[in-house]
């Protein structure tokens, strides 16, 4: 689209083809042969049909680094006709290379021109290195997966120990709250809540259905433990009977036995 060009300068090559509207026409893409030029980009225009004639048009943006004085290019257009393809070659287009220095005559040795030095730093925008970061993230994930596979039992054991310790602390706090409420109200409801809490805690600690056992079954389960037997017998009298003033001290001792037994069972499991 212009008669002369500099080395490395962008030059536009326009390709136009007029044809019948029923023809299938294919223009060259970026994989076409552009020698002696190098492909940069292209601009396509939609087909325009006027008075029974269709026009296809495209502009190819090229560069050349050849030193030939005259350089030519002819890009073919493919016309699809059923199973056959017809290649139509346009007349060659010529462009003249515009030199910025006079060529050295053949056979004459002349000193090369001095290079101009420029040491001014040019700021370069930093780019995010995605491949290295992705590789690093994958390496970290692999190390973590290996560590989990290697120390899974130890980590699981520590987690279970931490979970038991948290549950035990929660049980002691809630049990003390029910005992305190009983001391203030002397209500059988608080006794029942304390016993239910004790059963649920030991059921989780022992990994059993202890919270659904009767008093007799619990005593048998714990091999007729003296503290369990006396404590549950005392609490059953309060829950299923009437609370008497002289029984208050016995209930307090029952609470102490239940709490002490739970702490002993926790200590045995924690070991």
């Amino acid at each position: 689209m212009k008669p002369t060009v500099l080395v490395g300068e962008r030059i536009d090559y326009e390709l136009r083809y007029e044809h019948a509207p029923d023809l299938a026409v294919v223009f060259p893409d970026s994989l076409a042969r552009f020698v002696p030029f190098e492909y940069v980009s292209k601009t396509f225009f939609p087909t325009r049909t006027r008075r029974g004639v269709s026009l296809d048009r495209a502009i190819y943006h090229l560069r050349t680094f050849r030193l030939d004085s005259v350089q030519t290019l002819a890009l073919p257009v493919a016309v699809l006709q059923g199973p056959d393809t017809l290649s139509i070659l346009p007349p060659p287009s010529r462009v003249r290379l515009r030199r910025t220095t006079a060529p050295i005559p053949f056979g004459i040795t002349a000193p090369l021109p001095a290079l101009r030095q420029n040491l001014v730093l040019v700021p370069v925008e930093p780019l995010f290195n995605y491949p290295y970061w992705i590789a690093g993230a994958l390496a970290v994930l692999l190390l973590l997966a290996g560590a989990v596979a290697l120390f899974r039992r130890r980590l699981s054991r520590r987690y279970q120990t931490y979970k038991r310790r948290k549950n035990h602390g929660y049980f002691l706090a809630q049990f003390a709250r029910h005992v305190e409420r009983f001391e203030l109200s002397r209500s059988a409801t608080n006794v029942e809540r304390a016993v239910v809490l004790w059963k649920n805690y030991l059921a989780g600690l022992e990994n059993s259905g202890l919270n659904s056992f009767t008093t007799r079954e619990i005593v048998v389960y714990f091999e007729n433990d003296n503290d369990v037997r006396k404590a549950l017998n005392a609490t059953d009298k309060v829950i299923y009977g009437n609370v008497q003033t002289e029984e208050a001290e016995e209930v307090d001792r029952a609470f102490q036995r239940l709490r002490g037994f739970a702490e002993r069972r926790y200590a045995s499991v924690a070991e």
Side-chain angles (χ1 to χ4, degrees), residues 36 39 49 67-68 108 120 157 163 174 180 214 235 253:
Y39 174 84
T49 302
L67 299 180
D68 301 337
I108 298 178
V120 179
R157 192 180 302 114
K163 188 177 179 180
Q174 294 297 318
E180 182 180 357
T214 63
T235 55
R253 287 194 298 269

Side-chain angles (χ1 to χ4, degrees), residues 47-107:
T47 302
R48 296 176 58 183
T49 302
R50 291 183 178 178
R51 298 178 181 179
V53 178
S54 294
L55 171 65
D56 283 318
R57 176 170 169 251
I59 297 178
Y60 298 86
H61 313 292
L62 312 172
R63 283 194 180 97
T64 181
F65 295 94
R66 295 287 186 89
L67 299 180
D68 301 337
S69 298
V70 178
Q71 301 180 24
T72 61
L73 179 66
L75 293 180
V77 173
V79 179
L80 306 181
Q81 295 179 340
D84 299 327
T85 301
L86 177 64
S87 181
I88 300 178
L89 195 67
S93 296
R94 293 177 175 82
V95 64
R96 184 176 297 275
L97 183 68
R98 190 167 73 251
R99 301 180 181 273
T100 57
T101 182
I104 300 175
F106 181 76

Side-chain angles (χ1 to χ4, degrees), residues 1-261:
M1 297 181 69
K2 60 181 181 179
T4 60
V5 67
L6 293 172
V7 172
E9 182 185 17
R10 198 182 85 166
I11 186 171
D12 294 338
Y13 175 87
E14 182 177 6
L15 186 62
R16 303 163 62 97
Y17 182 61
E18 294 182 349
H19 57 88
D22 57 346
L23 287 182
V25 178
V26 179
F27 272 42
D29 61 3
S30 59
L31 300 179
R33 181 177 174 83
F34 295 93
V35 178
F37 301 91
E38 293 184 5
Y39 174 84
V40 177
S41 62
K42 63 180 178 295
T43 302
F44 279 101
F45 299 91
T47 302
R48 296 176 58 183
T49 302
R50 291 183 178 178
R51 298 178 181 179
V53 178
S54 294
L55 171 65
D56 283 318
R57 176 170 169 251
I59 297 178
Y60 298 86
H61 313 292
L62 312 172
R63 283 194 180 97
T64 181
F65 295 94
R66 295 287 186 89
L67 299 180
D68 301 337
S69 298
V70 178
Q71 301 180 24
T72 61
L73 179 66
L75 293 180
V77 173
V79 179
L80 306 181
Q81 295 179 340
D84 299 327
T85 301
L86 177 64
S87 181
I88 300 178
L89 195 67
S93 296
R94 293 177 175 82
V95 64
R96 184 176 297 275
L97 183 68
R98 190 167 73 251
R99 301 180 181 273
T100 57
T101 182
I104 300 175
F106 181 76
I108 298 178
T109 303
L112 295 175
L115 297 177
R116 288 181 294 179
Q117 182 174 269
N118 184 2
L119 300 180
V120 179
L121 297 178
V122 178
V124 178
E125 183 180 356
L127 299 178
F128 189 79
N129 198 330
Y130 287 99
Y132 283 148
W133 277 97
I134 293 175
L138 291 177
V140 171
L141 291 177
L142 289 176
L143 288 176
L144 291 177
V148 170
L150 185 62
F151 302 104
R152 180 172 57 184
R153 288 187 178 181
R154 185 178 301 176
L155 293 174
S156 177
R157 192 180 302 114
R158 288 188 177 182
Y159 173 73
Q160 293 298 330
T161 301
Y162 167 78
K163 188 177 179 180
R164 281 196 300 268
R165 185 168 63 251
K166 294 288 290 184
N167 290 339
H168 186 68
Y170 176 80
F171 161 73
L172 292 178
Q174 294 297 318
F175 193 82
R177 182 175 300 176
H178 291 313
V179 172
E180 182 180 357
R181 290 176 178 174
F182 173 75
E183 291 175 353
L184 295 176
S185 64
R186 297 299 177 182
S187 171
T189 302
N190 292 319
V191 178
E192 183 178 6
R193 290 176 179 174
V195 173
V196 170
L197 176 66
W198 180 83
K199 289 182 179 180
N200 289 334
Y201 170 70
L202 285 180
L205 186 65
E206 303 282 342
N207 193 21
S208 65
L210 193 68
N211 51 353
S212 63
F213 289 3
T214 63
T215 298
R216 181 176 298 178
E217 291 172 340
I218 294 175
V219 172
V220 173
Y221 180 85
F222 289 120
E223 299 178 352
N224 201 28
D225 184 88
N226 187 54
D227 287 339
V228 174
R229 178 172 49 80
K230 289 183 178 181
L232 292 182
N233 287 336
T235 55
D236 283 350
K237 292 179 182 179
V238 176
I239 296 173
Y240 302 110
N242 295 323
V243 178
Q244 303 296 330
T245 305
E246 59 269 20
E247 294 176 349
E249 294 182 0
E250 185 178 355
V251 175
D252 291 338
R253 287 194 298 269
F255 284 148
Q256 294 176 5
R257 290 190 177 100
L258 293 177
R259 182 174 59 248
F261 180 80

